[in-house]
């Protein structure tokens, strides 16, 4: 339901996911660090990961989005989002009392997108970056631009808050279509992943770097 009214706080799929999170948090034999609850997804799951972070900033400390797009989009955004889709107010309206309270923790976001994506247009990444930096109240101009893991094939950008901490990051995967980037192998930075229709060898294991970034704020 990322593409209709069911995407909002308290509705259908978002509520079901949060109910599952709360179930785990309430288990007597589990201890949960609420600053380490993250959400991630690819494609429709990427859009829904954005919905979850927008709807439940009180639950999720961060999100990793692979080939997703801005909150509030319908399926038309997959082909061509419009400037209005970058409106951060759409995010704030989901839980305004939390989003507008400067004392509350807000979800950070790392965004991955192939620049030859044939299903979810690459422009979605820029519109999502604009929307999320706006939601967090930080500058839309990157504070740092470089490469990921020394690989010039991938353009990495960071957007910092007032304290200099990276709160939004984007990675452009040059020449990649609609997929999660993986790096097959047995090392920690490789993850044992294998290639497939929606997992492409890009020399970088996206899930590994997402978790590292969400935990530490560093690539």
């Amino acid at each position: 339901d990322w593409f209709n009214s069911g995407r909002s706080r308290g509705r259908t799929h978002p509520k079901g996911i949060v109910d599952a999170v709360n179930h785990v948090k309430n288990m007597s034999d589990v201890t949960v660090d609420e600053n380490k609850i993250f959400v991630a997804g690819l494609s429709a799951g990427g859009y829904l990961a954005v919905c979850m972070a927008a709807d439940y900033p009180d639950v999720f400390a961060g999100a990793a989005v692979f080939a997703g797009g801005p909150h509030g989009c319908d399926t038309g955004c997959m082909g061509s989002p419009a400037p209005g889709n970058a409106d951060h107010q759409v995010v704030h309206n989901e839980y305004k009392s939390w989003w507008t309270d400067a004392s509350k923790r807000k979800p950070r976001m790392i965004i991955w997108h192939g620049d030859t994506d044939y299903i979810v247009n690459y422009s979605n990444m820029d519109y999502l970056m604009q929307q999320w930096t706006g939601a967090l109240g930080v500058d839309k101009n990157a504070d740092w631009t470089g490469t990921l893991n020394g690989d010039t094939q991938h353009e990495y950008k960071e957007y910092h808050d007032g304290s200099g901490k990276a709160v939004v990051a984007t990675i452009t995967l040059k020449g990649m279509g609609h997929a999660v980037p993986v790096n097959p192998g047995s090392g920690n930075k490789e993850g044992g992943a294998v290639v497939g229709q929606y997992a492409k060898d890009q020399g970088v294991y996206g899930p590994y770097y997402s978790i590292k970034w969400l935990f530490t704020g560093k690539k």
Side-chain angles (χ1 to χ4, degrees):
D1 283 344
W2 65 267
F3 51 83
N4 61 32
S5 61
R7 64 186 164 222
S8 295
R9 183 179 176 92
R11 303 289 295 274
T12 60
H13 295 161
K15 182 179 184 301
I17 293 170
V18 167
D19 285 349
V21 171
N22 288 334
H23 177 76
V24 174
K25 288 167 61 177
N26 292 329
M27 293 172 66
S28 61
D29 58 343
V30 173
T31 300
V32 176
D33 183 341
E34 296 197 3
N35 289 312
K36 295 178 181 177
I37 301 175
F38 307 119
V39 60
L42 164 69
S43 192
Y47 279 102
L48 189 59
V50 176
C51 293
M52 299 307 302
D55 294 351
Y56 294 96
D58 50 326
V59 174
F60 297 102
V65 181
F66 296 89
H71 183 56
C73 273
D74 59 22
T75 54
C77 284
M78 294 170 62
S80 181
N85 294 121
D87 183 6
H88 73 271
Q89 208 57 52
V90 177
V91 174
H92 282 193
N93 288 342
E94 292 294 356
Y95 192 3
K96 188 169 291 186
S97 63
W98 188 280
W99 277 107
T100 57
D101 186 340
S103 70
K104 300 295 189 184
R105 181 207 67 198
K106 309 299 192 305
R108 298 159 57 244
M109 184 173 288
I110 183 167
I111 308 164
W112 304 75
H113 217 117
D115 67 355
T116 60
D117 194 320
Y118 52 92
I119 294 178
V120 178
N121 191 280
Y122 172 58
S123 61
N124 278 267
M125 184 175 80
D126 186 60
Y127 284 115
L128 176 54
M129 176 278 293
Q130 293 183 48
Q131 183 184 65
W132 213 256
T133 53
L136 296 176
V138 301
D139 195 340
K140 294 176 175 58
N141 297 312
D143 294 284
W144 192 87
T145 300
T147 61
L148 185 65
N149 203 28
D151 189 336
T152 57
Q153 185 179 359
H154 312 304
E155 183 181 59
Y156 174 85
K157 294 182 179 181
E158 286 183 352
Y159 303 81
H160 299 169
D161 64 12
S163 69
K165 182 178 182 179
V167 292
V168 175
T170 62
I171 300 95
T172 295
L173 298 140
K174 297 179 180 179
M176 191 182 83
H178 192 68
V180 171
V182 299
N183 186 19
S186 58
N188 287 340
K189 296 181 181 180
E190 297 167 333
V194 296
V195 298
Q197 183 176 5
Y198 298 118
K200 300 300 181 184
D201 185 353
Q202 294 290 307
V204 58
Y205 187 35
Y208 168 85
Y209 280 100
S210 294
I211 289 296
K212 180 181 178 182
W213 188 87
L214 288 167
F215 268 77
T216 68
K218 299 177 182 178
K219 65 184 179 69

